[in-house]
Amino acid sequence: MGVLKRYGTYLPISEKTPSVNLEEGNTPLVRLDRIGNELGIELWGKLEGCNPSGSFKDRGMVLAVAKALEDGARALVCASTGNTSASAAAYAAHVGIPCYVLLPSGHVAMGKLAQALIYGAKVIAVDGNFDRALEMARTCAELKGFAMVNSVNPYRLISQKTGAWEICESLGRAPDAHVIPVGNACNISAYWAGYKDFKAWGKITELPRMIGIQAEGAAPLATGKPCPNPETIATAIRIGNPVSAELAKAAVAESGGEFLTVTDDEILAAQAMLASKSGVFAEPASCTTLAGLVKLGHAKKLQQGATFVIILTGNGLKDPDAALSQVGEPVRIGAEMEELLEALA
Ligand code: F0G
């Protein structure tokens, strides 16, 4: 059951809203005990890479596209660091409307680029960063009358709240702390709103602390300073001017949480740790979460025994280059048993 069917009564849809469904949402919440035990916490990972286009974006895109169709939109447009464009292109293909995507040239992971192209979107590589591409996409939406499906589209945030609802339903409560990568800052804002909904509806009693993680080279919220030239290996969150900055700051302040930065080396180390000690392969941006927990652990600032959920926002397969950059080559042998036995020794 997709997000619109599962949570329709809590979302702004009516009989006039076309049903759109790629069976998004309902992603696994997996207990990561080997790592949790090492850190002294109860650790859960929300595997958003299991969504149909391989990232959390599908949760918000399904409602944004349904509402765009309801409003008679002719086409979709977005700017993206990769995942939004993959998701928009997938849903546009599913419902049969054109999709235009603006990407920061040379800074989008290979898998995401392949997705947008094979889903049939018109892909435009802009010689500028994501923040500039987003300005151009907004102007394009106005000039051409296309539906803008970046997170400036309010339906994206509303429908991404479903991630928080699912976590509370799985755990029977909210976690003590919710740890999430922050780029354009929509997802942290959506999760906070989702948790607050569940509290207001009497389904949970306590709210989590919201811990937002940014890459050191793209950390306008963590540092409180603008970042005109963002740079990080976690290309998904290579963003200097987050659209939902104010909502994200409110989420962290109201929840008694914090913003943290992690370096590219810490992100890659966390990616390898997550994969090799839990069997979960997530893309670099997602692994900022574990990198943040490791950093808090080293500083003796992790509340021992508490329940932490990390949002693993995108599938590791989207960015094979990042993973391959830190592992060795396979052992090569001839097709002889002696060579195999030698290699195993
Ligand atoms: N993780 C991944 C894998 C992402 O793709 C993004 C954002 C984020 C985290 C950050 O989420 O922007 O809501 O704070 N990707 C956008 C894109 C910007 O274009 O795909 P956020």
Side-chain angles (χ1 to χ4, degrees):
M1 203 187 303
V3 158
L4 299 189
K5 269 225 174 71
R6 186 159 181 212
Y7 290 114
T9 47
Y10 302 110
L11 297 172
I13 56 178
S14 67
E15 5 14 297
K16 282 195 243 126
T17 315
S19 98
V20 179
N21 180 15
L22 268 177
E23 298 293 333
E24 61 291 314
N26 200 13
T27 55
L29 183 69
V30 180
R31 195 157 162 163
L32 309 174
D33 273 342
R34 279 187 70 199
I35 300 174
N37 291 344
E38 226 171 88
L39 296 173
I41 60 175
E42 184 182 314
L43 180 63
W44 299 82
K46 180 78 168 154
L47 271 51
E48 288 291 278
C50 293
N51 276 297
S53 83
S55 86
F56 73 97
K57 302 287 179 179
D58 297 340
R59 284 183 189 281
M61 199 57 69
V62 66
L63 181 62
V65 171
K67 295 305 271 189
L69 291 179
E70 183 178 340
D71 295 344
R74 291 183 297 125
L76 308 181
V77 64
C78 67
S80 181
T81 57
N83 282 323
T84 297
S85 57
S87 183
Y91 282 86
H94 193 67
V95 303
I97 59 171
C99 179
Y100 300 92
V101 309
L102 279 64
L103 305 179
S105 184
H107 293 281
V108 170
M110 188 174 61
K112 303 174 189 179
L113 183 60
Q115 285 183 287
L117 290 165
I118 199 76
Y119 290 134
K122 172 91 176 174
V123 177
I124 300 158
V126 178
D127 194 7
N129 63 26
F130 167 82
D131 303 283
R132 176 60 190 142
L134 183 61
E135 289 171 359
M136 291 171 74
R138 289 174 93 152
T139 309
C140 171
E142 276 164 33
L143 288 177
K144 296 282 199 179
F146 296 161
M148 174 79 182
V149 295
N150 280 104
S151 53
V152 291
N153 180 323
Y155 297 118
R156 283 272 313 278
L157 191 150
I158 292 171
S159 196
Q160 281 175 217
K161 295 193 294 185
T162 56
W165 301 344
E166 286 177 16
I167 290 172
C168 295
E169 285 170 350
S170 299
L171 294 179
R173 66 183 197 93
D176 297 311
H178 174 100
V179 188
I180 185 164
V182 177
N184 221 10
C186 173
N187 213 23
I188 188 173
S189 309
Y191 269 96
W192 180 238
Y195 286 121
K196 285 200 296 188
D197 283 345
F198 254 38
K199 180 144 189 244
W201 300 336
K203 291 174 182 278
I204 56 171
T205 53
E206 305 295 326
L207 292 167
R209 279 191 305 118
M210 301 297 287
I211 305 180
I213 319 284
Q214 297 204 291
E216 197 175 78
L221 290 170
T223 61
K225 291 189 210 112
C227 180
N229 297 305
E231 213 42 85
T232 169
I233 188 160
T235 50
I237 51 171
R238 187 174 169 273
I239 295 174
N241 184 19
V243 162
S244 301
E246 294 312 315
L247 287 175
K249 283 191 232 168
V252 164
E254 287 171 24
S255 72
E258 62 188 308
F259 288 111
L260 278 181
T261 63
V262 290
T263 65
D264 281 1
D265 285 346
E266 288 167 337
I267 294 170
L268 288 176
Q271 184 184 38
M273 180 184 192
L274 181 69
S276 64
K277 292 187 179 173
S278 77
V280 175
F281 184 23
E283 67 168 281
S286 309
C287 298
T288 57
T289 55
L290 180 57
L293 288 184
V294 169
K295 190 169 175 177
L296 286 173
H298 285 154
K300 301 257 176 295
K301 285 190 188 154
L302 266 188
Q303 191 195 342
Q304 296 297 288
T307 303
F308 288 76
V309 170
I310 55 176
I311 306 302
L312 300 170
T313 45
N315 197 303
L317 293 169
K318 285 173 172 276
D319 190 358
D321 295 328
L324 287 171
S325 73
Q326 53 168 332
V327 291
E329 294 279 309
V331 179
R332 281 183 206 290
I333 61 165
E336 299 301 334
M337 273 313 291
E338 293 103 77
E339 286 186 62
L340 174 58
L341 292 175
E342 208 171 293
L344 295 177

